[in-house]
Amino acid sequence: MLYNCVNKDCYENPVLEMDYSDPDVIRVGEDYYLVSSSFTYLPGVPLLHSRDLIHWEQLSWCLPRLPFARYDLPAHGCGSWAPSIRYHEGRFYVFIPLPDEGIFVVTATDPRGPWSEPHCIRETVGWIDPCPFWDEDGNAYMAHAFANSRCGIKHRIDVCRMSPDASRLLDDGVQVYCNPQLHPTMEGPKMYKREGYYYIFVPAGGVATGWQTVLRSRSPLGPYEAKVVLHQGLSTVNGPHQGAWVTTPEGADWFFHFQDAGVHGRILHLQPMCWVDGWPVMGRDRDGDGIGEPVDSWPLPLPAALPQHPLQPDDGFEGPDLALCWQWQGNPRQEWYRVENGLRLFMPPCARGESLLWYMPNVLTQIAPAKQYTMRTTLTLEDGEDGDEAGLTVMGHRYSALSLRRTGGEYRLVLTRGLVTERTAQGVAVEQVAAEQPFRGNTVSLELRFDPDGMVRYAWAIPGTTPTVIGPACPADKSTWSGARPGLFARNHLNRPTSGSARFDGARFGI
């Protein structure tokens, strides 16, 4: 299950124990839509749908590929950072920051797509986390933050004037809030209006240990006053911040936010919210300090409404294409794969010069479905050359993989550990063999088990027999801004051209 509930009338946090980082949520009619960041996993910026704020399904990807050649290879930690979604005059707008390239906008009349090509409204370095706002008087604005790693600023929020059609910014913006002593880091602004006040919801203090701040002003361009409205307090939820305010048709207010769960990524919580003296109150003030704290459970916001297509990590590769759950480590290319009576992965040489999984754009991954899960597949190596291999992996700054490798005209099972020693956009990785053994034949069933402590255990089997564990447990690690991710791969580990490929019969998960 993707969520737990105390009873039929309550929900339990986290409502979505998956790495949907930097969420933004809106309501259109009786439907709720959520987008999140995806960095350089592509296609990017997933769009989820719900009818009750608890059960979610994925409708589309807003960004099929990134429009720069650098993303043809992995650029870990770059790409699409915290997006925002708004609905205005019959059209969905998703604002997407690329911290090294600028602010981009994609639009659609149907959330299932097609989405427009990304349009750059500001070419810049270091602007992040944009949020558009359309006022009743016809004027439009965009709030945004800054990336310290790109421009040396991390504690300031600016607001720009924007053309009403969101095609361009009309000025360079004005600083509306900066107080590094109280809020040393500010990011992820979301702009709203209520009863004559303009509000900017701003996470502050950093991802792992921060808090939620709200700015308030009578003018969209400030000056703004600030109030901390949500923090960890006596709860066990670290860093409760960065999310979105959403209101049900009945007028009840709720706040979505993430929690940094380390190797498991950024998981989503839902807090009840109300208003007191013109300020939002989130969660519950357990320690009496006037600041809300996350709740463990709460009465359901709406009657449960199961989606038609719940979030599902399984894929039987029955075609005509991959399921929505999959992402590559770089801009997708059709020549990497074919879905036809299974998934066939080809083995192009890696342009980085070494065929290491961290360097390969054609590693096929997805968001982990839970803190504990198993993943199984059966694969066949077809044709090919020495060095061809394929298997299962869990990717991150420490990663591991179990593969079937062709070597010297024979086959071997190989357990590999990888370590990213330089965690930059280009990255530097090393791989070592942790265990290997001979295997008879070119078809094998593989299995990995991911435990809540972040350890991964691998096993293999002749199809139809009981799996056998191979080698030691391997530690997983988060990646740059994302959790550890399970996946499939095929490569020539010698990085030689090959006619080989691997056929997978499916990807099956147990939770």
Side-chain angles (χ1 to χ4, degrees):
M1 295 180 66
L2 299 182
Y3 79 103
N4 295 306
C5 198
V6 175
N7 58 56
K8 66 178 182 179
D9 298 319
C10 294
Y11 71 89
E12 185 175 279
N13 275 317
V15 293
L16 195 52
E17 199 174 55
M18 297 176 70
D19 187 18
Y20 286 103
S21 178
D22 310 320
D24 191 24
V25 184
I26 61 169
R27 177 178 62 85
V28 179
E30 295 185 352
D31 296 281
Y32 301 87
Y33 300 98
L34 181 153
V35 293
S36 75
S37 54
S38 50
F39 310 106
T40 49
Y41 299 108
L42 292 154
V45 188
L47 188 145
L48 308 186
H49 166 256
S50 177
R51 298 278 290 185
D52 61 7
L53 294 174
I54 305 297
H55 301 83
W56 293 88
E57 61 179 335
Q58 184 171 353
L59 297 185
S60 63
W61 297 101
C62 300
L63 199 62
R65 58 187 295 112
L66 287 166
F68 298 95
R70 69 177 294 207
Y71 298 109
D72 292 342
L73 292 175
H76 296 284
C78 303
S80 55
W81 284 23
S84 61
I85 182 171
R86 292 293 182 268
Y87 184 75
H88 178 66
E89 295 186 348
R91 183 172 294 273
F92 291 89
Y93 292 80
V94 176
F95 278 54
I96 303 168
L98 308 186
D100 301 303
E101 290 87 14
I103 305 297
F104 293 79
V105 181
V106 296
T107 66
T109 55
D110 185 337
R112 293 171 176 80
W115 288 86
S116 68
E117 292 293 321
H119 169 68
C120 183
I121 64 169
R122 178 73 182 211
E123 184 177 341
T124 185
V125 174
W127 285 27
I128 58 170
D129 307 351
C131 180
F133 174 76
W134 285 268
D135 209 348
E136 295 101 327
D137 60 7
N139 291 315
Y141 304 89
M142 187 193 80
H144 71 91
F146 297 87
N148 184 57
S149 59
R150 292 347 192 246
C151 62
I153 304 170
K154 67 171 185 174
H155 47 260
R156 181 175 128 195
I157 301 298
D158 283 16
V159 174
C160 303
R161 297 181 184 273
M162 183 179 73
S163 64
D165 63 357
S167 64
R168 60 194 177 97
L169 298 180
L170 302 180
D171 58 32
D172 293 333
V174 296
Q175 175 182 298
V176 298
Y177 193 82
C178 179
N179 191 327
Q181 287 76 32
L182 290 179
H183 303 296
T185 298
M186 300 193 87
E187 54 193 336
K190 299 293 182 288
M191 195 168 182
Y192 308 97
K193 189 176 184 181
R194 178 184 182 271
E195 297 182 355
Y197 277 107
Y198 297 86
Y199 293 90
I200 303 178
F201 285 39
V202 188
V207 168
T209 58
W211 52 90
Q212 181 66 36
T213 299
V214 170
L215 311 179
R216 185 179 75 170
S217 175
R218 289 292 187 181
S219 166
L221 299 179
Y224 283 83
E225 55 184 328
K227 180 179 174 62
V228 177
V229 297
L230 183 71
H231 67 169
Q232 179 172 348
L234 300 177
S235 79
T236 59
V237 180
N238 59 293
H241 70 317
Q242 183 125 345
W245 163 34
V246 65
T247 303
T248 68
E250 294 74 26
D253 295 307
W254 298 86
F255 182 69
F256 257 97
H257 67 89
F258 75 70
Q259 173 195 10
D260 187 334
V263 68
H264 305 292
R266 300 173 181 180
I267 58 180
L268 302 195
H269 293 243
L270 180 64
Q271 303 301 332
M273 182 177 131
C274 62
W275 294 84
V276 176
D277 298 329
W279 291 100
V281 176
M282 299 172 180
R284 185 170 57 183
D285 182 10
R286 298 180 183 179
D287 57 8
D289 64 356
I291 302 173
E293 301 169 22
V295 300
D296 297 321
S297 63
W298 202 258
L300 288 167
L302 293 159
L306 291 173
Q308 291 184 332
H309 305 286
L311 294 171
Q312 176 57 263
D314 287 4
D315 192 353
F317 302 133
E318 298 168 351
D321 208 339
L322 295 166
L324 274 177
C325 54
W326 296 106
Q327 294 173 284
W328 305 92
Q329 290 194 142
N331 277 326
R333 300 179 68 90
Q334 189 60 51
E335 57 263 34
W336 291 343
Y337 72 103
R338 183 182 305 153
V339 181
E340 185 180 49
N341 297 320
L343 170 66
R344 190 177 181 190
L345 290 182
F346 299 99
M347 304 177 181
C350 179
R352 279 287 297 268
E354 291 182 275
S355 190
L356 304 185
L357 296 182
W358 188 253
Y359 299 163
M360 292 169 49
N362 54 311
V363 175
L364 186 61
T365 73
Q366 60 172 277
I367 295 171
K371 288 186 175 180
Q372 183 172 13
Y373 61 90
T374 58
M375 179 185 182
R376 300 178 180 90
T377 191
T378 297
L379 69 89
T380 300
L381 285 181
E382 299 180 331
D383 304 321
E385 312 290 337
D386 274 2
D388 288 357
E389 68 175 318
L392 296 174
T393 182
V394 174
M395 293 300 299
H397 286 149
R398 286 184 294 180
Y399 62 91
S400 55
L402 177 59
S403 61
L404 181 63
R405 178 182 294 177
R406 179 182 175 126
T407 178
E410 298 178 343
Y411 296 94
R412 300 185 70 81
L413 291 167
V414 180
L415 179 64
T416 301
R417 283 186 177 180
L419 176 65
V420 181
T421 60
E422 182 183 326
R423 299 176 181 182
T424 63
Q426 292 299 314
V428 175
V430 293
E431 291 184 3
Q432 293 182 331
V433 173
E436 63 177 316
Q437 65 184 60
F439 184 81
R440 297 185 63 180
N442 64 340
T443 298
V444 65
S445 295
L446 302 180
E447 174 182 303
L448 68 83
R449 188 179 81 218
F450 193 103
D451 289 334
D453 61 1
M455 299 300 291
V456 187
R457 291 164 174 82
Y458 291 90
W460 64 273
I462 298 171
T465 66
T466 302
T468 299
V469 173
I470 182 171
C474 300
D477 195 3
K478 63 182 179 180
S479 185
T480 310
W481 315 125
S482 62
R485 298 169 64 97
L488 306 173
F489 72 95
R491 66 178 177 180
N492 183 284
H493 85 101
L494 302 174
N495 209 35
R496 296 172 179 171
T498 175
S499 59
S501 62
R503 185 175 297 276
F504 295 81
D505 73 337
R508 297 169 294 280
F509 286 80
I511 300 173

